[in-house]
Amino acid sequence: QYVNVLQTGEPVAMERQIGRHWYLVSAVRFDYDGLLTSSIDITETKLAREQIEQINSQLRRTNESLDQFASVASHDLQE
């Protein structure tokens, strides 16, 4: 990807994992043959995002169970 930045001049941003840490890495061409990169440690953000996704998944399953219960309860009440 760095070679592509040098060849095309088009900047790139990507998430990379190094060991247990995640980084947001950006690269832009500097002058004709230079490359300027920066990286930000996003490990805490990445872990928080994963935790939110897990909680959302649990909430979806709970809502499905509640919907099924409500449907059965409604059917029983109608009888």
Side-chain angles (χ1 to χ4, degrees), residues 1-12 27-29 34-35:
Q1 289 178 325
Y2 295 129
V3 172
N4 189 51
V5 171
L6 286 171
Q7 291 175 344
T8 66
E10 194 165 320
V12 67
V28 295
R29 187 166 69 188
L35 186 68

Side-chain angles (χ1 to χ4, degrees), residues 19-38:
R20 293 183 177 180
H21 290 271
W22 282 90
Y23 297 93
L24 177 61
V25 179
S26 301
V28 295
R29 187 166 69 188
F30 184 72
D31 287 334
Y32 177 73
D33 59 352
L35 186 68
L36 181 63
T37 64
S38 69

Side-chain angles (χ1 to χ4, degrees), residues 50-65:
E50 289 174 1
Q51 189 176 24
I52 289 169
E53 289 172 3
Q54 289 175 352
I55 291 169
N56 281 340
S57 179
Q58 291 172 348
L59 285 172
R60 275 194 230 66
R61 287 193 300 273
T62 301
N63 283 340
E64 288 171 3
S65 294

